[in-house]
Amino acid sequence: MESFGYLPRNGPPKKSTDQTAIVKTRSDWAAVAVATAGGAGFAPAAPGTAGSVVGVLIYLLFEGLNLGAYYLHAIIFFFVVGIWASSRVEHLWGHDAQRIVIDEVVGQMITFGFAAGRYQLSGVEITAGFGLFRLFDIVKPFP
């Protein structure tokens, strides 16, 4: 039943607990693709860690292609598009759905932001940045 400015008799529709439901339009699909970092958020275990891996891969891609000078632009792009996508997906799946991992992607990208295009990070430094980011993201210490 279409709602034309009024609520159905049984009240507003409930948010779905099935995180694959209600995705109907192309923009919904695009929002889900961005918010879940291309599907990384659907990882059966530790979707936040999978999202952080996507952030590391984006950093490595930029460094591998010698595009480090544009890394800040990518952070801003994913930040802005991620706000739109996560906001839209929250309307579909509910507040702070576990599958929304674009915040982990952007946070992980920020971790390497000062080095991108300036310093060549070693594998140990990248692993340390990844591990410390995950630790602080999970523990969420007081500022």
PDB file of all heavy atoms in Angstrom, residues 52-70:
ATOM      1  N   SER A  52      38.377  -2.432   7.378  1.00  0.00           N
ATOM      2  CA  SER A  52      39.699  -1.843   7.579  1.00  0.00           C
ATOM      3  C   SER A  52      40.697  -2.366   6.551  1.00  0.00           C
ATOM      4  O   SER A  52      41.567  -1.624   6.079  1.00  0.00           O
ATOM      5  CB  SER A  52      40.210  -2.136   8.989  1.00  0.00           C
ATOM      6  OG  SER A  52      39.421  -1.467   9.943  1.00  0.00           O
ATOM      7  N   VAL A  53      40.567  -3.633   6.190  1.00  0.00           N
ATOM      8  CA  VAL A  53      41.433  -4.201   5.147  1.00  0.00           C
ATOM      9  C   VAL A  53      41.205  -3.472   3.831  1.00  0.00           C
ATOM     10  O   VAL A  53      42.156  -3.186   3.095  1.00  0.00           O
ATOM     11  CB  VAL A  53      41.198  -5.727   5.005  1.00  0.00           C
ATOM     12  CG1 VAL A  53      41.858  -6.272   3.756  1.00  0.00           C
ATOM     13  CG2 VAL A  53      41.685  -6.456   6.238  1.00  0.00           C
ATOM     14  N   VAL A  54      39.954  -3.137   3.533  1.00  0.00           N
ATOM     15  CA  VAL A  54      39.667  -2.368   2.310  1.00  0.00           C
ATOM     16  C   VAL A  54      40.383  -1.022   2.367  1.00  0.00           C
ATOM     17  O   VAL A  54      40.961  -0.577   1.372  1.00  0.00           O
ATOM     18  CB  VAL A  54      38.144  -2.188   2.118  1.00  0.00           C
ATOM     19  CG1 VAL A  54      37.850  -1.221   0.979  1.00  0.00           C
ATOM     20  CG2 VAL A  54      37.476  -3.530   1.868  1.00  0.00           C
ATOM     21  N   GLY A  55      40.379  -0.368   3.530  1.00  0.00           N
ATOM     22  CA  GLY A  55      41.094   0.895   3.690  1.00  0.00           C
ATOM     23  C   GLY A  55      42.584   0.750   3.437  1.00  0.00           C
ATOM     24  O   GLY A  55      43.200   1.609   2.784  1.00  0.00           O
ATOM     25  N   VAL A  56      43.184  -0.328   3.938  1.00  0.00           N
ATOM     26  CA  VAL A  56      44.608  -0.592   3.694  1.00  0.00           C
ATOM     27  C   VAL A  56      44.841  -0.835   2.206  1.00  0.00           C
ATOM     28  O   VAL A  56      45.812  -0.321   1.628  1.00  0.00           O
ATOM     29  CB  VAL A  56      45.110  -1.791   4.527  1.00  0.00           C
ATOM     30  CG1 VAL A  56      46.519  -2.187   4.118  1.00  0.00           C
ATOM     31  CG2 VAL A  56      45.053  -1.484   6.008  1.00  0.00           C
ATOM     32  N   LEU A  57      43.968  -1.579   1.569  1.00  0.00           N
ATOM     33  CA  LEU A  57      44.126  -1.863   0.139  1.00  0.00           C
ATOM     34  C   LEU A  57      44.027  -0.595  -0.702  1.00  0.00           C
ATOM     35  O   LEU A  57      44.754  -0.444  -1.692  1.00  0.00           O
ATOM     36  CB  LEU A  57      43.096  -2.902  -0.316  1.00  0.00           C
ATOM     37  CG  LEU A  57      43.279  -4.306   0.256  1.00  0.00           C
ATOM     38  CD1 LEU A  57      42.136  -5.214  -0.179  1.00  0.00           C
ATOM     39  CD2 LEU A  57      44.617  -4.889  -0.137  1.00  0.00           C
ATOM     40  N   ILE A  58      43.150   0.328  -0.312  1.00  0.00           N
ATOM     41  CA  ILE A  58      43.054   1.599  -1.035  1.00  0.00           C
ATOM     42  C   ILE A  58      44.363   2.375  -0.881  1.00  0.00           C
ATOM     43  O   ILE A  58      44.883   2.929  -1.860  1.00  0.00           O
ATOM     44  CB  ILE A  58      41.846   2.419  -0.548  1.00  0.00           C
ATOM     45  CG1 ILE A  58      40.549   1.724  -0.958  1.00  0.00           C
ATOM     46  CG2 ILE A  58      41.895   3.849  -1.089  1.00  0.00           C
ATOM     47  CD1 ILE A  58      39.303   2.326  -0.340  1.00  0.00           C
ATOM     48  N   TYR A  59      44.907   2.398   0.335  1.00  0.00           N
ATOM     49  CA  TYR A  59      46.195   3.068   0.548  1.00  0.00           C
ATOM     50  C   TYR A  59      47.279   2.434  -0.332  1.00  0.00           C
ATOM     51  O   TYR A  59      48.031   3.141  -1.009  1.00  0.00           O
ATOM     52  CB  TYR A  59      46.604   3.004   2.016  1.00  0.00           C
ATOM     53  CG  TYR A  59      48.042   3.392   2.240  1.00  0.00           C
ATOM     54  CD1 TYR A  59      48.445   4.717   2.165  1.00  0.00           C
ATOM     55  CD2 TYR A  59      49.021   2.420   2.478  1.00  0.00           C
ATOM     56  CE1 TYR A  59      49.775   5.078   2.326  1.00  0.00           C
ATOM     57  CE2 TYR A  59      50.344   2.774   2.647  1.00  0.00           C
ATOM     58  CZ  TYR A  59      50.716   4.100   2.568  1.00  0.00           C
ATOM     59  OH  TYR A  59      52.032   4.449   2.728  1.00  0.00           O
ATOM     60  N   LEU A  60      47.352   1.107  -0.326  1.00  0.00           N
ATOM     61  CA  LEU A  60      48.367   0.417  -1.123  1.00  0.00           C
ATOM     62  C   LEU A  60      48.168   0.657  -2.616  1.00  0.00           C
ATOM     63  O   LEU A  60      49.144   0.784  -3.370  1.00  0.00           O
ATOM     64  CB  LEU A  60      48.360  -1.077  -0.810  1.00  0.00           C
ATOM     65  CG  LEU A  60      48.824  -1.458   0.593  1.00  0.00           C
ATOM     66  CD1 LEU A  60      48.614  -2.948   0.836  1.00  0.00           C
ATOM     67  CD2 LEU A  60      50.278  -1.069   0.811  1.00  0.00           C
ATOM     68  N   LEU A  61      46.918   0.740  -3.058  1.00  0.00           N
ATOM     69  CA  LEU A  61      46.635   1.032  -4.459  1.00  0.00           C
ATOM     70  C   LEU A  61      47.153   2.420  -4.840  1.00  0.00           C
ATOM     71  O   LEU A  61      47.824   2.578  -5.865  1.00  0.00           O
ATOM     72  CB  LEU A  61      45.131   0.934  -4.731  1.00  0.00           C
ATOM     73  CG  LEU A  61      44.686   1.294  -6.147  1.00  0.00           C
ATOM     74  CD1 LEU A  61      45.158   0.227  -7.131  1.00  0.00           C
ATOM     75  CD2 LEU A  61      43.187   1.456  -6.212  1.00  0.00           C
ATOM     76  N   PHE A  62      46.859   3.413  -4.017  1.00  0.00           N
ATOM     77  CA  PHE A  62      47.328   4.767  -4.302  1.00  0.00           C
ATOM     78  C   PHE A  62      48.848   4.837  -4.311  1.00  0.00           C
ATOM     79  O   PHE A  62      49.439   5.498  -5.167  1.00  0.00           O
ATOM     80  CB  PHE A  62      46.745   5.764  -3.292  1.00  0.00           C
ATOM     81  CG  PHE A  62      45.434   6.353  -3.726  1.00  0.00           C
ATOM     82  CD1 PHE A  62      44.282   5.590  -3.713  1.00  0.00           C
ATOM     83  CD2 PHE A  62      45.361   7.656  -4.167  1.00  0.00           C
ATOM     84  CE1 PHE A  62      43.080   6.115  -4.117  1.00  0.00           C
ATOM     85  CE2 PHE A  62      44.157   8.200  -4.580  1.00  0.00           C
ATOM     86  CZ  PHE A  62      43.005   7.428  -4.559  1.00  0.00           C
ATOM     87  N   GLU A  63      49.471   4.176  -3.359  1.00  0.00           N
ATOM     88  CA  GLU A  63      50.938   4.191  -3.310  1.00  0.00           C
ATOM     89  C   GLU A  63      51.534   3.415  -4.487  1.00  0.00           C
ATOM     90  O   GLU A  63      52.525   3.838  -5.067  1.00  0.00           O
ATOM     91  CB  GLU A  63      51.431   3.607  -1.985  1.00  0.00           C
ATOM     92  CG  GLU A  63      51.237   4.547  -0.808  1.00  0.00           C
ATOM     93  CD  GLU A  63      51.981   5.861  -0.962  1.00  0.00           C
ATOM     94  OE1 GLU A  63      53.214   5.837  -1.175  1.00  0.00           O
ATOM     95  OE2 GLU A  63      51.329   6.909  -0.875  1.00  0.00           O
ATOM     96  N   GLY A  64      50.942   2.294  -4.829  1.00  0.00           N
ATOM     97  CA  GLY A  64      51.445   1.493  -5.937  1.00  0.00           C
ATOM     98  C   GLY A  64      51.344   2.199  -7.276  1.00  0.00           C
ATOM     99  O   GLY A  64      52.158   1.983  -8.171  1.00  0.00           O
ATOM    100  N   LEU A  65      50.327   3.045  -7.432  1.00  0.00           N
ATOM    101  CA  LEU A  65      50.149   3.791  -8.672  1.00  0.00           C
ATOM    102  C   LEU A  65      50.788   5.179  -8.625  1.00  0.00           C
ATOM    103  O   LEU A  65      50.580   5.987  -9.534  1.00  0.00           O
ATOM    104  CB  LEU A  65      48.647   3.929  -8.993  1.00  0.00           C
ATOM    105  CG  LEU A  65      47.900   2.630  -9.270  1.00  0.00           C
ATOM    106  CD1 LEU A  65      46.412   2.888  -9.412  1.00  0.00           C
ATOM    107  CD2 LEU A  65      48.456   1.940 -10.503  1.00  0.00           C
ATOM    108  N   ASN A  66      51.556   5.452  -7.562  1.00  0.00           N
ATOM    109  CA  ASN A  66      52.191   6.756  -7.357  1.00  0.00           C
ATOM    110  C   ASN A  66      51.185   7.905  -7.391  1.00  0.00           C
ATOM    111  O   ASN A  66      51.430   8.957  -7.980  1.00  0.00           O
ATOM    112  CB  ASN A  66      53.302   7.000  -8.376  1.00  0.00           C
ATOM    113  CG  ASN A  66      54.473   6.078  -8.147  1.00  0.00           C
ATOM    114  OD1 ASN A  66      54.837   5.794  -7.009  1.00  0.00           O
ATOM    115  ND2 ASN A  66      55.051   5.590  -9.230  1.00  0.00           N
ATOM    116  N   LEU A  67      50.028   7.688  -6.760  1.00  0.00           N
ATOM    117  CA  LEU A  67      48.981   8.705  -6.693  1.00  0.00           C
ATOM    118  C   LEU A  67      48.811   9.240  -5.274  1.00  0.00           C
ATOM    119  O   LEU A  67      47.746   9.731  -4.915  1.00  0.00           O
ATOM    120  CB  LEU A  67      47.651   8.126  -7.189  1.00  0.00           C
ATOM    121  CG  LEU A  67      47.607   7.703  -8.654  1.00  0.00           C
ATOM    122  CD1 LEU A  67      46.297   7.009  -8.973  1.00  0.00           C
ATOM    123  CD2 LEU A  67      47.827   8.895  -9.557  1.00  0.00           C
ATOM    124  N   GLY A  68      49.852   9.137  -4.470  1.00  0.00           N
ATOM    125  CA  GLY A  68      49.785   9.573  -3.080  1.00  0.00           C
ATOM    126  C   GLY A  68      49.396  11.029  -2.918  1.00  0.00           C
ATOM    127  O   GLY A  68      48.786  11.414  -1.919  1.00  0.00           O
ATOM    128  N   ALA A  69      49.706  11.865  -3.907  1.00  0.00           N
ATOM    129  CA  ALA A  69      49.346  13.281  -3.840  1.00  0.00           C
ATOM    130  C   ALA A  69      47.828  13.472  -3.845  1.00  0.00           C
ATOM    131  O   ALA A  69      47.334  14.503  -3.390  1.00  0.00           O
ATOM    132  CB  ALA A  69      49.966  14.040  -5.014  1.00  0.00           C
ATOM    133  N   TYR A  70      47.095  12.490  -4.343  1.00  0.00           N
ATOM    134  CA  TYR A  70      45.639  12.585  -4.419  1.00  0.00           C
ATOM    135  C   TYR A  70      44.937  11.799  -3.306  1.00  0.00           C
ATOM    136  O   TYR A  70      43.715  11.698  -3.299  1.00  0.00           O
ATOM    137  CB  TYR A  70      45.150  12.080  -5.782  1.00  0.00           C
ATOM    138  CG  TYR A  70      45.750  12.863  -6.917  1.00  0.00           C
ATOM    139  CD1 TYR A  70      46.772  12.311  -7.677  1.00  0.00           C
ATOM    140  CD2 TYR A  70      45.324  14.148  -7.199  1.00  0.00           C
ATOM    141  CE1 TYR A  70      47.342  13.029  -8.714  1.00  0.00           C
ATOM    142  CE2 TYR A  70      45.891  14.876  -8.233  1.00  0.00           C
ATOM    143  CZ  TYR A  70      46.897  14.310  -8.978  1.00  0.00           C
ATOM    144  OH  TYR A  70      47.461  15.028  -9.994  1.00  0.00           O
TER     145      TYR A  70
END
